[in-house]
Amino acid sequence: MKKFITKRFLQMVLVWVLVSIISFSVIFFAPGDPLYMYMTPEATGRKLTEEELQAMRESLGLDGTAIEQYTSWATKMVQGNWGISLTTKEPVLNEILKKLPATIGLMGASLILSLIVAIPLGLIAGTHKNSWIDNIISAITYVGVSMPAFWLGIMLIIVFSMQLKWLPSSGMRTIGVVSNWDVIKHGILPAIVLSLNNMAVFVRYIRSNTITQMEEEYVQTALSKGIGKRGIMYGHVLKNCMLPVITTVGSRFGTLVTGSFIVESVFAWPGLGTLGMSSINNRDYPMVMGITMFSCTILLLGNFLADLLYGIADPRIKIGKE
C-alpha cells in the first residue's frame, strides 16, 4: 500500500506540473494585456502612466521572461499564495473557497442523481439485451451523450420556469427567502442538466458489464442452485458491474467542475463555473489559472480515490502489486 501511494503521488505531481506548464503557456501567449482594465480612464478614474503600469506588473509578477514568471507563480501557488484577482482585488484562493460550496453541492447532487437513475437502467438494459426496452434505454443514452448542456438548460428554463412556473430559472436563492427547500428548488434544473451526460455514460458501462457478467459461470451456477434472478443481480452482478463505474466517477470529478462553467452560467448559479466565466471575460488571469489548477487537483484526487475504491470493491485486485 505504501509503495502504491508513493508511486501514485509522484505521478500526480508530474501530471500537475505538466498541466500547470501547458495552462501557463496558453495564458502567457494569449493576445491582450492582463492590465488592460487599468489602461482606460473608465476603470480607474484616470489614465495610469507607464511608470504606474510597470510598477503594477512587478507587484503582480508579470514582468520578466515566461520561465521567470512561471517559476515565480508555481512557487507561490505551492506555498498557498495563488495570487490576487485582477477583478475583485481579493486573494484568488479565498475567492475560490467562497464559491466552492455552491459548486460542490451542485456536483454532489448531479452525481448522486445520475447514479440513482443509471444503476437500475443499466441493469435492466443488460438483462434484456436487444429487447425493445434495451433499445429505448440505449436511445436515451445516445441523446444524453450528444445533447448540448446549454441547449438543454435553456429548454428546461422555458418549460419548467417560464411556462409551467414550477421551478425558479436562475440563482441559488430567492431574495428574502432563507430555507433549504428554496435552495433545492433552484438546484433541481442545473443538477438535471449536469447529471444527464454522466447518467448516459454510466448506463452504457453498467449495461455492457451486466451482459458480460450474465454469461459468467458463477451466474449459471447460482441459477442452478435456485437463487432468484433479483438476488443474483443485486448480490453479485451489480458489485462487479460497478467496478468500471467507480473509476469513471473518479475521472469525471474534474469534468463536473469544468462542465459546470456553462451550466452555472445558464442558470446564474453562484459557483466556480460562474466565477470562471467572468474571469475569462475580464482577463483575470490569476483567477483563471487558479480555477484551472484547482480543477486539475480535484481530477487527480478523484482518480487516486477511484484506484483505492477499486481495490476495496474487488479483493482480487491487490493495491501496490503488479
Side-chain angles (χ1 to χ4, degrees):
M1 175 67 78
K2 186 178 296 185
K3 180 181 177 182
F4 169 78
I5 293 177
T6 302
K7 180 180 178 181
R8 290 291 285 114
F9 178 77
L10 293 176
Q11 291 175 345
M12 289 168 58
V13 171
L14 177 60
V15 173
W16 194 93
V17 171
L18 291 175
V19 171
S20 67
I21 292 174
I22 295 173
S23 302
F24 184 87
S25 299
V26 172
I27 294 296
F28 182 83
F29 293 107
D33 193 327
L35 300 182
Y36 170 79
M37 66 181 65
Y38 300 102
M39 295 179 178
T40 59
E42 292 79 5
T44 59
R46 65 183 180 85
K47 186 175 182 179
L48 298 182
T49 63
E50 286 297 328
E51 291 76 12
E52 290 174 324
L53 289 173
Q54 182 59 30
M56 189 172 292
R57 283 192 175 90
E58 293 176 359
S59 65
L60 295 175
L62 298 177
D63 59 327
T65 64
I67 296 177
E68 291 173 345
Q69 289 189 37
Y70 170 78
T71 303
S72 175
W73 168 81
T75 302
K76 292 178 180 178
M77 174 162 278
V78 171
Q79 295 173 349
N81 180 7
W82 290 22
I84 302 297
S85 170
L86 300 179
T87 304
T88 64
K89 312 301 185 297
E90 295 290 334
V92 169
L93 185 57
N94 290 353
E95 291 294 298
I96 291 176
L97 294 178
K98 286 180 184 178
K99 301 293 184 180
L100 185 59
T103 296
I104 287 180
L106 193 59
M107 284 172 52
S110 65
L111 190 58
I112 293 173
L113 179 61
S114 60
L115 288 173
I116 290 176
V117 176
I119 290 174
L121 288 183
L123 291 176
I124 292 172
T127 53
H128 296 80
K129 180 181 176 182
N130 296 329
S131 65
W132 64 271
I133 191 170
D134 179 30
N135 293 332
I136 292 176
I137 294 175
S138 296
I140 293 174
T141 61
Y142 285 124
V143 173
V145 170
S146 59
M147 184 175 295
F150 73 90
W151 182 86
L152 177 60
I154 293 173
M155 291 300 103
L156 291 181
I157 289 174
I158 292 175
V159 174
F160 293 99
S161 297
M162 300 178 65
Q163 299 294 330
L164 299 177
K165 301 186 184 301
W166 288 354
L167 298 168
S169 61
S170 63
M172 185 176 174
R173 295 180 183 274
T174 302
I175 298 176
V177 178
V178 181
S179 69
N180 293 332
W181 174 239
D182 183 60
V183 176
I184 292 173
K185 287 195 301 181
H186 280 81
I188 290 176
L189 294 183
I192 290 175
V193 175
L194 274 177
S195 65
L196 184 61
N197 183 267
N198 287 319
M199 181 271 293
V201 174
F202 295 157
V203 167
R204 294 174 68 84
Y205 272 108
I206 295 173
R207 175 190 179 276
S208 175
N209 283 275
T210 300
I211 294 174
T212 301
Q213 292 299 319
M214 291 300 292
E215 297 174 354
E216 295 290 334
E217 292 183 358
Y218 76 89
V219 173
Q220 304 303 322
T221 302
L223 288 173
S224 65
K225 291 181 178 180
I227 299 177
K229 198 170 183 179
R230 182 181 295 272
I232 296 174
M233 289 299 301
Y234 291 98
H236 303 282
V237 174
L238 177 60
K239 182 178 180 180
N240 293 328
C241 290
M242 290 301 293
L243 292 177
V245 175
I246 291 174
T247 304
T248 307
V249 169
S251 65
R252 296 182 78 85
F253 275 4
T255 306
L256 283 170
V257 175
T258 55
S260 67
F261 274 46
I262 296 176
V263 175
E264 288 187 7
S265 298
V266 171
F267 290 96
W269 186 265
L272 288 178
T274 303
L275 178 63
M277 291 299 292
S278 64
S279 300
I280 293 172
N281 293 332
N282 294 325
R283 298 181 182 178
D284 191 348
Y285 294 150
M287 185 64 73
V288 172
M289 286 298 299
I291 294 176
T292 299
M293 298 315 301
F294 182 80
S295 302
C296 173
T297 302
I298 289 181
L299 175 59
L300 293 174
L301 291 176
N303 284 330
F304 177 70
L305 180 61
D307 288 340
L308 293 179
L309 292 177
Y310 205 90
I312 295 173
D314 190 349
R316 295 171 299 178
I317 300 174
K318 300 299 183 181
I319 296 178
K321 295 183 179 181
E322 301 293 339

